[in-house]
Amino acid sequence: KGIPGPAAGSLTNSATLTAAELAAGELVTIFGTGLGPTQGVGPALDPFTGLVPTTLGGVRVTFDGVAAPILYASDKQINAIVPFTIYGRATSKVTVERDGVPSDAILMSLTDSFPQVFVSGAQQIVVNSDGTLNSVTNPAKGGSYVTFYMSGLGRTNPAGIDGHLAAFPLPAPLIPLTTDDPYKILYAGSAPGIVEGFIQVNMQVPANAQGGFNRVPLHSGFSDTTVGLYIR
């Protein structure tokens, strides 16, 4: 049985829930019906491997037959991580299996990097240096740093391990994440104890940054995106 709903729109980048190209380690969300258990099941580490499991609630997701770590499975939604091992392919056939019964495959394009910043609602999740959310009523100070979170930055060094919780030495994207002066990327890489593929970015705000809403460019190889933040 095929994944219900528009085939082209049924697999998205988890950060933005918009149409995606696939990159190694990218967090993705599949929408549909009949995908998994009626009561959603969250992640539970495999007690033998210590990894995020590739089977959850009777659900598997495969990329060209390679099983993906699954973070959440329900009737209408699955959150999974693109296996690092499919890097280098031009396309991948993505299949959902429920209790051993496969869906029709979704053919997706692959790329080295598809950087996306996680959002909540319509706003990107940016955290000020004091741990509070950046917003129009709570802007960052010039000269401080902000933290935000991304997915889709591709392969890492050390090499990513599917479903592994990041530990030192922390994996960082092979394609460095950069921005334009006078902003500075202080750190872009895995966060300790969080599954690999989820990237934390610490960025310094220029001391003389213009107040108000600033949209800062982010570069990852041939792929670009932006992060927006409010500054005093």
Side-chain angles (χ1 to χ4, degrees):
K1 295 181 179 180
I3 296 175
S10 57
L11 191 152
T12 66
N13 179 283
S14 294
T16 58
L17 299 183
T18 57
E21 285 188 281
L22 301 185
E26 181 178 348
L27 278 68
V28 295
T29 298
I30 299 170
F31 291 108
T33 57
L35 301 179
T38 302
Q39 185 69 37
V41 181
L45 296 182
D46 186 304
F48 299 102
T49 66
L51 304 176
V52 173
T54 56
T55 300
L56 187 64
V59 175
R60 293 176 79 239
V61 178
T62 61
F63 292 75
D64 293 335
V66 179
I70 301 180
L71 299 170
Y72 177 79
S74 73
D75 177 61
K76 295 181 172 60
Q77 177 178 335
I78 298 170
N79 296 343
I81 305 173
V82 179
F84 286 102
T85 50
I86 70 165
Y87 171 80
R89 307 179 191 190
T91 60
S92 180
K93 291 182 178 180
V94 185
T95 303
V96 174
E97 296 177 12
R98 181 182 182 187
D99 297 326
V101 179
S103 69
D104 293 335
I106 307 171
L107 184 64
M108 298 292 297
S109 296
L110 267 69
T111 184
D112 287 353
S113 182
F114 185 72
Q116 299 290 303
V117 178
F118 276 87
V119 303
S120 176
Q123 184 171 333
Q124 292 174 322
I125 302 169
V126 179
V127 180
N128 295 331
S129 55
D130 63 359
T132 60
L133 285 175
N134 182 271
S135 69
V136 63
T137 57
N138 190 38
K141 297 179 181 179
S144 68
Y145 69 88
V146 295
T147 299
F148 52 94
Y149 305 94
M150 302 185 70
S151 178
L153 275 78
R155 293 187 300 165
T156 61
N157 181 31
I161 300 172
D162 294 334
H164 184 250
L165 303 188
F168 294 95
L170 293 171
L174 271 181
I175 302 175
L177 183 72
T178 61
T179 187
D180 294 349
D181 288 335
Y183 289 88
K184 302 291 183 185
I185 300 292
L186 304 177
Y187 174 78
S190 299
I194 306 299
V195 68
E196 293 183 22
F198 183 87
I199 299 294
Q200 175 179 322
V201 181
N202 300 338
M203 183 175 70
Q204 186 163 20
V205 178
N208 60 349
Q210 181 177 354
F213 184 72
N214 287 251
R215 193 165 291 282
V216 183
L218 301 170
H219 312 295
S220 176
F222 295 106
S223 299
D224 294 329
T225 188
T226 61
V227 62
L229 62 148
Y230 294 93
I231 301 174
R232 293 185 187 177

